[in-house]
Amino acid sequence: AVDESELLTVPDGWKEPAFTREDNPKGLLEESSFATLFPKYREAYLKECWPLVQKALGEHYVNAALDLIEGSMTVTTTKNTFDPYAIIRARDLIKLLARSVPFEQAVRILQDDVACDIIKIGSLVRKRETFIKRRARLLGPKGSTLKALELLTNCYIMVQGNTVSALGPFSGLKEVRKVVLDTMKNIHPIYNIKTLMIKRELAKDPELRTQSWERFLPKFKRKNLKKRKEPKKKNTKKEYTPFPPPQPESQIDKELASGEYFLKERQKKRKQMEEIKAKQADAVKRRQEERNKAFIPPKEKPAVKTKKASTEKKIDIEAIKEKVKNAKKKKLGALPEEEVKLKMAADEKKKKKK
C-alpha cells in the first residue's frame, strides 16, 4: 500500500530525461520561423554577441539571422532540427535579447528546466509619475528588493522600460509575476517577500508538505484607506408630490392686490419718490448714529468705598491685671517660689545625713 501523497509529490533530485534524436529520428516535416524587432540602443550589443547566439542555436540546429537595416532578429528551423520545442526556446531567446537581458543569462532558456516570462506593466497604471514610482519601488534602494526577490525565487529579473523579464524555474516565475502585478497595484513588495521567506522555511519540513500553510502566513491589512467625510449640511429629499408648485405672482398681480394698478402715472411717480426719500432719510439717520457713537463716553464703574478700620475696641481690664500679677511672680531666668522652697528643703536633708 502506497500513500497518495507520495504519488502526487515529485521525488527530490528527479529530472526529466533529455529529448534526443532517438526520440524523433525522422525530424520535422515543415520549417517554422519567428521574428522580433529590437530597439536602436540594443544594436551595438547584439552585433557583438550575435556570433555567440548563432553558435548556441546551432547546437539545436536552428538558424538565426540579424537584420540591422530593418532592426529585427529571425530564427528558423532546418532539416536537421529534431526537437520541435527548440524553435519556441529560440523565439524566447531573441525576445529576451531585445528586452535588454544579457546573452549570458538569456542563453539559459535553451535548457529544459528553465522558462521565461515577459510581464507588460506599462498599461497597469494610468499616470506616468505613479508608474515610475512603483517601478522604482520594485527595484528598491540600490536594487536590494530585486536582489532579494531573485534569491527567493531562483530567477533572473530584468526591469526595462514598460516590461519585466524573468528567467528561471516555473514555480519561481509564478511568484515573480504575482509580486510584480501586486507592486503595480500599490502593494509593497516587502509583504510578498516576507511571505516567500516563510514559505521557504515551511518547505524544509516534510510533515508540513501535505498541510495548509494559511495559519503560518501573515495577513496584511490596508491601513491607509480613508473614510469618506460626511458633509456638514445634508440635503434631505422632499416628499414627492405629483402636483406642480404654485405659480409665483407677477408684478401686475402684486399691483392689483396693493391697488397701485389703478393709480395714475403722476401718483405712481410721487409714491416712488416718497419711498426713495424715506429710504434716504433712514440711511442718513443710521449714518449719523454711527458718527455720534465716537462722542458717547463709556460707562464708568462705580467707586467702591473702603471701610475704615474701627479704632474703638473693647478692652478687658481684668485679663490685663491677671497677666501683670503672673509676670511679677515669675522673674526672667528664675524658678518659681514653690520650686525654690522644695529645693531648699532637699538640700537641708542631705546635710543632716552627712
Side-chain angles (χ1 to χ4, degrees), residues 139-153:
L139 292 166
K142 297 180 182 178
S144 58
T145 307
L146 198 68
K147 190 70 182 172
L149 200 60
E150 284 179 354
L151 291 168
L152 289 165
T153 56

Side-chain angles (χ1 to χ4, degrees), residues 103-111 114 154-156 167-169:
F103 171 74
E104 292 79 11
Q105 292 290 342
V107 78
R108 286 170 55 210
I109 196 68
L110 300 174
Q111 298 172 16
V114 177
N154 296 323
C155 293
Y156 174 79
L167 189 77

Side-chain angles (χ1 to χ4, degrees), residues 32-35 57 62-65 73-77 87 90-91 94:
S32 54
S33 64
F34 287 102
L57 292 173
V62 178
N63 287 336
M73 294 178 281
T74 312
V75 287
T76 53
T77 56
I87 188 67
R91 179 201 66 180
I94 58 173

Side-chain angles (χ1 to χ4, degrees), residues 19-272:
F19 193 86
T20 58
R21 188 173 283 281
E22 293 173 4
D23 298 317
N24 186 18
K26 293 182 180 180
L28 305 176
L29 293 171
E30 293 290 336
E31 281 188 5
S32 54
S33 64
F34 287 102
T36 185
L37 298 171
F38 60 86
K40 187 75 175 172
Y41 61 83
R42 290 291 288 168
E43 189 177 319
Y45 181 78
L46 290 171
K47 203 174 180 181
E48 284 179 13
C49 72
W50 196 249
L52 298 168
V53 175
Q54 286 179 324
K55 187 183 176 183
L57 292 173
E59 292 174 5
H60 296 269
Y61 304 100
V62 178
N63 287 336
L66 179 68
D67 190 351
L68 295 172
I69 296 163
E70 192 183 332
S72 66
M73 294 178 281
T74 312
V75 287
T76 53
T77 56
T78 60
K79 291 178 181 180
N80 296 325
T81 309
F82 61 88
D83 187 359
Y85 200 72
I87 188 67
I88 303 295
R89 288 188 182 133
R91 179 201 66 180
D92 291 340
L93 174 64
I94 58 173
K95 271 188 178 180
L96 290 168
L97 289 169
R99 295 312 311 148
S100 298
V101 177
F103 171 74
E104 292 79 11
Q105 292 290 342
V107 78
R108 286 170 55 210
I109 196 68
L110 300 174
Q111 298 172 16
D112 288 338
D113 57 344
V114 177
C116 75
D117 189 10
I118 295 167
I119 307 154
K120 292 178 182 178
I121 57 172
S123 60
L124 297 174
V125 185
R126 287 183 182 178
K127 289 185 180 179
R128 186 69 184 169
E129 293 175 2
T130 313
F131 168 73
I132 291 162
K133 282 180 184 177
R134 289 181 188 174
R135 188 179 62 182
R137 193 183 292 168
L138 184 64
L139 292 166
K142 297 180 182 178
S144 58
T145 307
L146 198 68
K147 190 70 182 172
L149 200 60
E150 284 179 354
L151 291 168
L152 289 165
T153 56
N154 296 323
C155 293
Y156 174 79
I157 305 165
M158 167 62 74
V159 181
Q160 177 67 26
N162 293 334
T163 58
V164 177
S165 307
L167 189 77
F170 289 101
S171 58
L173 292 174
K174 188 181 175 183
E175 297 292 344
V176 169
R177 178 171 273 273
K178 184 182 179 298
V179 173
V180 170
L181 294 177
D182 282 353
T183 306
M184 289 294 123
K185 288 175 187 173
N186 201 21
I187 297 167
H188 204 280
I190 197 70
Y191 299 129
N192 287 311
I193 286 168
K194 253 185 186 177
T195 309
L196 287 171
M197 286 169 74
I198 293 162
K199 281 181 180 178
R200 195 179 187 182
E201 292 298 317
L202 291 169
K204 292 176 184 178
D205 193 349
E207 292 179 3
L208 294 168
R209 282 189 178 181
T210 55
Q211 295 178 13
S212 177
W213 292 351
E214 285 185 7
R215 57 195 172 133
F216 301 110
L217 300 176
K219 291 177 183 178
F220 301 106
K221 292 180 182 178
R222 286 189 180 184
K223 293 180 181 178
N224 58 348
L225 291 173
K226 292 180 181 178
K227 290 182 181 178
R228 182 177 169 272
K229 289 181 179 178
E230 292 184 0
K232 288 180 180 178
K233 292 180 181 179
K234 291 184 179 179
N235 296 326
T236 53
K237 287 186 178 180
K238 294 177 182 178
E239 291 182 6
Y240 173 73
T241 53
F243 306 105
Q247 194 174 358
E249 288 185 348
S250 64
Q251 189 67 27
I252 295 166
D253 292 337
K254 289 176 183 177
E255 286 179 359
L256 283 166
S258 61
E260 287 182 31
Y261 185 78
F262 304 103
L263 295 173
K264 292 178 182 178
E265 285 293 323
R266 285 182 186 177
Q267 290 173 335
K268 284 182 182 178
K269 283 182 180 178
R270 194 185 299 159
K271 195 176 182 181
Q272 284 176 0

